[in-house]
Amino acid sequence: MTISKKNFESVEWGEAPPSHESKNSNTITDLMQNVTSVASLLRVCGAMTMLVAMSTYLLQGWSEGNDISRYYMLLSQTFLLAISGFGLSYLLKENKGARIFFGLGLISITANMTTLGALIFSTTQWGSSLAQYPSFAQWVAPDFDTLMMALLATVAICIPVTWLGHKVLARRSARLLSGLFLFTNLLLLLPVRESLFVGIIALVSVILPMALLSKRMSQDNSLRTPEGLFAMATIFIPAGLIICRSIWLYPVDEILQIILGGTAFIALRFCAQQTEEACTARNITHWLSFGAALGMAMPAAELADRFVTDAFAFNVFGLVLAGLLLDISTRCQKPFSLVRVAAIVLAVSHIGPVMLTDNTANAILCILAGLVIIAMGRQHGLRYVMLMGMLTLVAGIGRQILELASWIDFSNWITLSVLGGIIIIVASLIERHGAIIKMKWDRLAQPAQHNQK
């Protein structure tokens, strides 16, 4: 009996040589994986082919009739998608294909609600004068009664489709997901296009679902599966459509930019909390959050420039951006880089206005910013950040001292005597307490070094 070199090494180190059974097992496993992948691809292709076929059938005679008849064609497509999914799930017991159809049905509901919202907006508008969509996006309802019938038909079809879709995708959380999905889609029907109202609606359609889903995700692990994540994603599609519609079709002012930037920042914060600390996805959310922070700080500075002064705009920009950077740092594995950047932004945005203007309000803000930077450095044990805060503090105080010095007569003997006395007292304090201050200063770096380790 001969033993190959490879088998001999395996025996020598206490390992069993590979058997034919293990090889066959690996081969069968690979074959099953390949078959599953091919079946999944075919399943998706078949569903898309049926979707195209249904769309082609429904769009025949699209140019005939009015916008209401076209809307009923879109609504009937949602119904056909649900029927297809129901047939696969309950008749053929093929749940994977049913999930695809129900997923397409949920997306189709959002498309229906968007179109119905345009029909409602053509007859009723809140908070603005009667405006018109561009011709390529214009939908017009002939009368109020016809519009109400379309609304009732939409509700009659969308509620059961929503329930069945989420029941198939995430059974344990179907009630919550269905309620949130219908709520965010109904927001598409509100006939408002003013930037402030649109921003509030977008903010509510993101924050409320995230607050409820974050609690639910800790109780239902099925929401972290691909099907569960897709079901949750469908809830936020209406918010994306509201935002895109406003940016594309209507003017965007600073208030809407701030609200949209804040909405994006909150959403990214939620996504970061659902990922692992050191993964690439979380790092991507940090970079995107930085962009959202800029999207809030810049319009806030523009508002300050418009209603106050251009110097105050620098202060507002620094406060907003630095605060959001500190919030991002709380989710980072190594937060010190963002803390440094936040300190630099806060210092520069407050020292600059003090150097360029003689406004007392800017000097007071500079002093407060210096104290905040010192607190940041003390909390994280970063001595150079504390030095930066002291520099900012001195810049704010120094400007006022220079203003005061312009009123003091330094040629007077009384002034010189007081100044000399102050210098002597400071020298005595340094001599007496300098060593203790130096020791405490050196200890400030120890927390940062420990955390970096």
Side-chain angles (χ1 to χ4, degrees):
M1 178 178 178
T2 59
I3 301 177
S4 64
K5 181 178 181 182
K6 182 177 180 181
N7 291 345
F8 178 77
E9 292 176 353
S10 300
V11 173
E12 183 179 359
W13 290 99
E15 298 178 359
S19 62
H20 293 289
E21 293 181 358
S22 61
K23 290 181 179 180
N24 292 335
S25 177
N26 293 334
T27 303
I28 294 174
T29 302
D30 295 338
L31 179 61
M32 293 178 63
Q33 291 177 350
N34 294 333
V35 170
T36 303
S37 301
V38 172
S40 300
L41 180 61
L42 290 175
R43 188 180 293 110
V44 173
C45 292
M48 293 302 173
T49 303
M50 290 187 64
L51 179 62
V52 171
M54 287 187 293
S55 302
T56 303
Y57 171 75
L58 292 172
L59 292 177
Q60 291 177 357
W62 179 262
S63 59
E64 302 173 1
N66 55 19
D67 288 339
I68 287 292
S69 63
R70 297 187 185 96
Y71 175 72
Y72 280 122
M73 292 181 185
L74 294 177
L75 193 60
S76 62
Q77 185 179 47
T78 302
F79 179 74
L80 291 176
L81 288 171
I83 290 297
S84 301
F86 182 83
L88 282 176
S89 178
Y90 291 94
L91 297 180
L92 300 181
K93 306 299 181 182
E94 213 291 295
N95 292 326
K96 293 184 178 180
R99 293 191 190 103
I100 296 177
F101 280 107
F102 278 117
L104 293 174
L106 293 175
I107 296 174
S108 179
I109 288 175
T110 302
N112 293 332
M113 291 293 188
T114 305
T115 306
L116 185 59
L119 290 170
I120 295 174
F121 188 70
S122 67
T123 59
T124 305
Q125 298 182 18
W126 297 344
S128 64
S129 58
L130 197 64
Q132 295 290 334
Y133 277 112
S135 58
F136 63 86
Q138 187 174 5
W139 290 75
V140 180
D143 54 69
F144 182 77
D145 294 337
T146 305
L147 186 60
M148 287 298 100
M149 290 298 297
L151 179 59
L152 292 175
T154 302
V155 172
I157 291 179
C158 291
I159 289 179
V161 173
T162 299
W163 172 253
L164 289 174
H166 289 108
K167 197 72 173 177
V168 170
L169 294 172
R171 179 179 297 272
R172 293 174 57 188
S173 301
R175 181 178 300 177
L176 176 62
L177 293 174
S178 299
L180 291 175
F181 180 79
L182 291 173
F183 170 74
T184 55
N185 276 275
L186 288 175
L187 293 177
L188 289 167
L189 304 183
L190 296 178
V192 293
R193 299 297 183 269
E194 293 293 327
S195 60
L196 178 60
F197 297 116
V198 170
I200 294 174
I201 292 172
L203 194 62
V204 170
S205 62
V206 171
I207 292 181
L208 181 61
M210 283 196 307
L212 296 175
L213 289 174
S214 60
K215 181 180 180 180
R216 184 61 184 173
M217 289 181 70
S218 61
Q219 303 172 354
D220 185 4
N221 292 329
S222 65
L223 292 178
R224 299 182 184 275
T225 62
E227 293 82 4
L229 293 174
F230 176 80
M232 290 191 298
T234 59
I235 296 173
F236 298 99
I237 293 177
L241 288 176
I242 292 172
I243 294 171
C244 293
R245 181 179 61 189
S246 299
I247 295 175
W248 186 16
L249 301 177
Y250 301 96
V252 180
D253 58 12
E254 289 82 2
I255 296 177
L256 182 57
Q257 292 179 33
I258 294 173
I259 296 176
L260 296 183
T263 303
F265 189 87
I266 295 172
L268 290 168
R269 196 177 194 277
F270 172 78
C271 294
Q273 292 173 346
Q274 310 307 320
T275 58
E276 296 181 359
E277 188 174 1
C279 67
T280 305
R282 173 166 287 200
N283 293 330
I284 293 175
T285 60
H286 294 336
W287 284 104
L288 294 176
S289 298
F290 179 75
L294 285 176
M296 295 178 64
M298 295 175 66
E302 292 177 4
L303 286 177
D305 184 23
R306 181 184 304 172
F307 294 106
V308 192
T309 60
D310 53 351
F312 190 68
F314 284 98
N315 300 137
V316 172
F317 178 84
L319 285 171
V320 174
L321 184 58
L324 295 176
L325 288 177
L326 287 177
D327 181 77
I328 298 173
S329 69
T330 59
R331 304 188 295 275
C332 292
Q333 191 175 11
K334 296 181 179 180
F336 300 105
S337 298
L338 281 177
V339 172
R340 297 186 192 104
V341 174
I344 293 172
V345 169
L346 202 57
V348 172
S349 62
H350 285 78
I351 293 176
V354 168
M355 296 292 102
L356 298 176
T357 64
D358 57 353
N359 193 333
T360 304
N362 291 122
I364 294 174
L365 289 175
C366 188
I367 294 172
L368 294 176
L371 294 175
V372 171
I373 296 173
I374 292 173
M376 290 164 51
R378 177 68 184 88
Q379 180 179 1
H380 295 87
L382 302 174
R383 288 190 295 177
Y384 39 85
V385 172
M386 293 187 65
L387 287 173
M388 195 182 306
M390 291 180 180
L391 177 63
T392 307
L393 184 65
V394 169
I397 298 175
R399 182 71 183 188
Q400 300 306 304
I401 292 176
L402 291 176
E403 292 293 329
L404 181 63
S406 63
W407 296 91
I408 298 176
D409 183 11
F410 285 95
S411 62
N412 190 299
W413 69 272
I414 297 178
T415 303
L416 294 176
S417 299
V418 173
L419 182 61
I422 292 174
I423 294 174
I424 292 173
I425 293 172
V426 171
S428 300
L429 291 174
I430 292 175
E431 182 179 6
R432 182 173 181 178
H433 302 286
I436 298 175
I437 295 173
K438 181 64 170 60
M439 292 174 60
K440 291 184 177 180
W441 180 262
D442 291 336
R443 290 175 183 173
L444 291 176
Q446 294 179 359
Q449 294 174 359
H450 177 72
N451 291 333
Q452 288 175 348
K453 291 179 181 179

